[in-house]
Amino acid sequence: MQKKHNAQLGSFTLQLVLCSAAVCSMITGTLLAFFHPEAPAKASHPAGAGLMVTERIAYQRAIEGVYWQHRIWPKENSKPKPSLDEVMSQAQIESKVQDYLRNSQALEDYWQRPITAEQLQAEIDRMAQHTKQPEVLRELFHALGNNPLVIAECLARPALGERLVTHLNAHYQRIHGELKVQPEYRPASADNRAPFSMAAAGASYRLPIVSDRSDGCSDETWTTISTINAPAPRASHTAVWTGSEMIVWGGYGGTYLNTGGRYDPSTDSWTAISTINAPAPRGGNTAVWTGSEMIVWGGDDGFSVNTGGRYNPVTDTWTATNTATAPIGRIFHTAVWDGSEMIVWGGWNEFELQSGADTALAPTVGQLQASPVPPAPGSITRQSGPGVR
């Protein structure tokens, strides 16, 4: 009897050892896969929720590279188009990653509405279905290795996260009359992974088929674009085309505005632009695209203004222009970009204008400097952009 009991105990011990070994093997395998730098290469891998921050930054740089490749460098610019590294620092790329991680964190921890795998898949499908630039969207997918998980995490998540946070904040503001402040982003932990759980990233995604059309539009037809997260309705605003985005700014919508947005036709999505250091609200201003910045100037806020600003879409930042020697404020004027300066002429300020000031803008400080010679009637006002003189 004792012999039988010992045999059973031995069998049980052997099974326990084998089971423990299997569990250990599974855990070890999972951990090795989790920490392996190539883990994100497969969409269904359970390590998907642990995309390393360094990997996200690398993928973000790949995305920025596609957009920069399509940015228009006006033929009037005397210098060649700079590289992405010359116009966007590593810190600025990292900041973009932190921004979308902050939004995801806020949705999960603050709003109790974490982004789900179904939402991310729906966002990818929406991009593929509604893109107005299929060839650019394919380039974006290719830059992310045509990996559905990476596309979901690094292309769909940023767009969806910002849209959801903006919607929830707007809803809260309508009810409570104030914005609900988001918590500060928690830096990545020692293993350099995202500091919070994003279960949706561990799901398996599929890559949809992007339209086979050579472009997103057909001749002599209109195609609607998304209004989700678009700027508030307005008139008398300005818009420029950068080659990869349309930037709209300012205008009047019941009150004068200094807000705006960037529309990306490849993903059919809007991104709000910063208002920090932006020019004061106005309508009827002019705007030009320099190759790296949108310059806005003049307009009306009840009175004609002679202020302006330079907006950099790569860094989402504004630099104000100096008004010390700027020409008289005006509305309904015109503006062109000549390769190194924005030239404005004419307009209205209680009466029609045919004179201005022959000025130059120091590109490093954004300062309007009047010519020491008194301007003749019909002369022009010029404002140069950075790094193109």
Side-chain angles (χ1 to χ4, degrees):
M1 185 71 177
Q2 180 68 26
K3 186 176 181 180
K4 182 177 181 182
H5 174 74
N6 290 340
Q8 290 176 339
L9 180 60
S11 176
F12 173 78
T13 302
L14 179 60
Q15 292 175 24
L16 181 61
V17 169
L18 291 174
C19 181
S20 298
V23 171
C24 182
S25 176
M26 290 171 64
I27 294 175
T28 302
T30 300
L31 288 174
L32 287 173
F34 186 85
F35 287 102
H36 195 281
E38 296 178 358
K42 294 185 179 180
S44 60
H45 200 286
L51 272 179
M52 296 178 70
V53 173
T54 51
E55 291 173 308
R56 292 180 183 275
I57 292 170
Y59 292 135
Q60 186 65 41
R61 191 192 184 286
I63 291 171
E64 298 298 334
V66 172
Y67 285 132
W68 180 246
Q69 179 184 350
H70 287 276
R71 285 267 161 80
I72 294 172
W73 189 250
K75 63 181 183 299
E76 293 84 1
N77 290 355
S78 58
K79 292 185 177 181
K81 183 178 181 179
S83 66
L84 176 64
D85 291 334
E86 294 177 83
V87 298
M88 191 172 196
S89 68
Q90 181 74 3
Q92 289 164 340
I93 295 176
E94 292 174 6
S95 179
K96 288 201 170 189
V97 173
Q98 291 173 356
D99 285 344
Y100 78 71
L101 290 178
R102 182 186 296 108
N103 282 339
S104 288
Q105 177 183 315
L107 288 167
E108 182 169 342
D109 296 346
Y110 197 55
W111 296 99
Q112 287 79 53
R113 297 189 182 185
I115 295 176
T116 67
E118 291 75 18
Q119 286 176 304
L120 289 176
Q121 183 63 62
E123 179 67 8
I124 301 174
D125 293 342
R126 185 198 64 79
M127 290 178 178
Q129 181 180 359
H130 295 286
T131 179
K132 305 302 183 290
Q133 289 183 312
E135 71 287 356
V136 177
L137 185 60
R138 291 193 191 96
E139 288 180 35
L140 289 168
F141 284 1
H142 180 73
L144 299 178
N146 289 315
N147 184 324
L149 182 144
V150 176
I151 292 168
E153 279 299 302
C154 301
L155 190 63
R157 181 179 289 276
L160 182 60
E162 177 171 337
R163 193 159 69 236
L164 293 175
V165 167
T166 300
H167 171 75
L168 289 170
N169 267 325
H171 177 71
Y172 186 89
Q173 189 175 23
R174 283 194 300 269
I175 296 175
H176 300 281
E178 60 182 8
L179 286 174
K180 191 173 184 180
V181 180
Q182 297 178 31
E184 289 296 320
Y185 171 71
R186 297 195 300 271
S189 54
D191 65 3
N192 206 23
R193 297 180 184 275
F196 56 94
S197 173
M198 291 186 294
S204 180
Y205 301 96
R206 66 181 183 281
L207 192 64
I209 298 175
V210 180
S211 170
D212 290 330
R213 293 176 298 175
S214 58
D215 56 59
C217 301
S218 301
D219 292 340
E220 302 298 327
T221 63
W222 285 93
T223 303
T224 58
I225 66 175
S226 174
T227 58
I228 300 174
N229 215 36
R234 64 195 64 199
S236 300
H237 54 289
T238 51
V240 297
W241 173 243
T242 72
S244 57
E245 295 172 312
M246 174 181 70
I247 306 176
V248 300
W249 185 84
Y252 183 85
T255 184
Y256 289 100
L257 303 166
N258 73 338
T259 57
R262 305 198 311 263
Y263 174 72
D264 179 359
S266 64
T267 59
D268 190 34
S269 58
W270 286 92
T271 302
I273 65 176
S274 174
T275 57
I276 298 174
N277 293 327
R282 70 195 62 198
N285 55 282
T286 51
V288 297
W289 175 246
T290 72
S292 59
E293 293 180 328
M294 173 184 71
I295 304 178
V296 301
W297 187 83
D300 181 88
D301 63 358
F303 299 93
S304 297
V305 297
N306 69 344
T307 57
R310 307 200 316 252
Y311 175 72
N312 185 333
V314 172
T315 58
D316 190 32
T317 55
W318 285 94
T319 303
T321 58
N322 193 301
T323 61
T325 55
I328 186 174
R330 62 197 66 196
I331 191 174
F332 305 138
H333 53 289
T334 55
V336 296
W337 176 250
D338 75 349
S340 61
E341 297 170 324
M342 177 178 75
I343 305 174
V344 301
W345 188 88
W348 188 86
N349 184 334
E350 304 303 326
F351 55 89
E352 290 78 10
L353 301 169
Q354 68 166 161
S355 61
D358 188 357
T359 64
L361 179 73
T364 57
V365 296
Q367 178 179 346
L368 283 167
Q369 297 176 329
S371 167
V373 180
S379 62
I380 57 179
T381 297
R382 299 180 300 185
Q383 176 171 342
S384 64
V388 294
R389 301 190 78 182

